[in-house]
Amino acid sequence: MGARPKLLITRRIFPEVLERLDANFDIVSNQADDEWSAADLLARVADRDALFVVASDRVDRALLDAAPKLRVVSTGSVGYNHIDLAACKARGIAVGNTPEVLTEATADMAWTLLMAAARRVSESERWLRDGQWKRWAFDQFLGADLFRSTLGIIGMGRIGSAVARRARGFEMTVLYSNRSRAANEAEVGAQYVERDELLARADHVVLVLPYSQATHHTIGERELSLMKPTATLVNIARGGIVDDAALARALKAGRIAAAGLDVYENEPALNPELLDAPGVVLTPHIGSATRSSRVGMAMLAADNLIAFFEGRPMPAQVPLG
């Protein structure tokens, strides 16, 4: 029996997933969840055949150059913009991701942020905890209606469709913008419009599109200026899709009313202007953070690796073109 392939796992993973991988690989794992520097990662990957990463790990040319034996990368995320696909293709390295597992949990999170931001939940809770609630008033923390309002979804893939389905319970008008018309638009009750029209008409805008250079700062100064001053913006997609500095300025100037953000440019670093912007709800990239979703993501990432070395098709392989 030959030597088992060598696997590097960059983050702590669930015991049941580690046990499954341990039966198939010679593992070096960051189970202590230590903060590895870029140099640490490069040193650890040098003799590895396989790599299990997360969305905050950069798999770039420098890392690939440091890993001459690397044959496959599996990321525990749907998005793969942190992986240099062209460089992987050039080296014959396969790439796997974890679509579908987190669809419903992430759609739930979109609604969590939308409702919290539109109804000023975080802002009013901080005010209450600070001991400022002395009496009730008619005009105290007036938020925006969701029932029978207009929802705009930018990106009508699996998660965008799940967000749209949930809007039925609020009897919302649903608009969407996408690279192409969605085949399921009638099924989810959504109407296609151009992006500028969506921004102008929607009371609430949810971003669910993948990050690329083409989608960088999809929402910037110009786009924010098109939105209603009473509007809410929610980003559960990827950092970089929103110009965070422009959003902070828009919130402070009252050009839009509220925002709910789970992802950020340069995360985990945060634009400090967002911290004191009014009407903003901030969460630390927890869109898929239910146990069933996160275990499912890690297990699918593991299954991709196991299938590759068993010579089977990976359950979720990223096309490299």
Side-chain angles (χ1 to χ4, degrees), residues 218-234:
T218 291
I219 302 297
E221 294 277 7
R222 188 188 76 84
E223 291 75 22
L224 290 163
S225 73
L226 297 175
M227 295 175 66
K228 298 177 180 181
T230 54
T232 307
L233 177 70
V234 170

Side-chain angles (χ1 to χ4, degrees), residues 55 58 78-83 85 154 179 207-219 235-243 263-266:
R58 301 298 306 172
V78 175
Y80 43 82
N81 59 287
H82 55 297
I83 300 172
L85 298 185
I154 301 180
R179 286 177 295 182
L207 304 174
V208 205
L209 64 168
Y211 179 83
S212 68
Q213 284 305 307
T215 60
H216 181 72
H217 286 185
T218 291
I219 302 297
N235 187 10
I236 55 163
R238 277 290 182 266
I241 288 173
V242 175
D243 181 339
V263 290
Y264 312 87
E265 295 187 273
N266 306 310

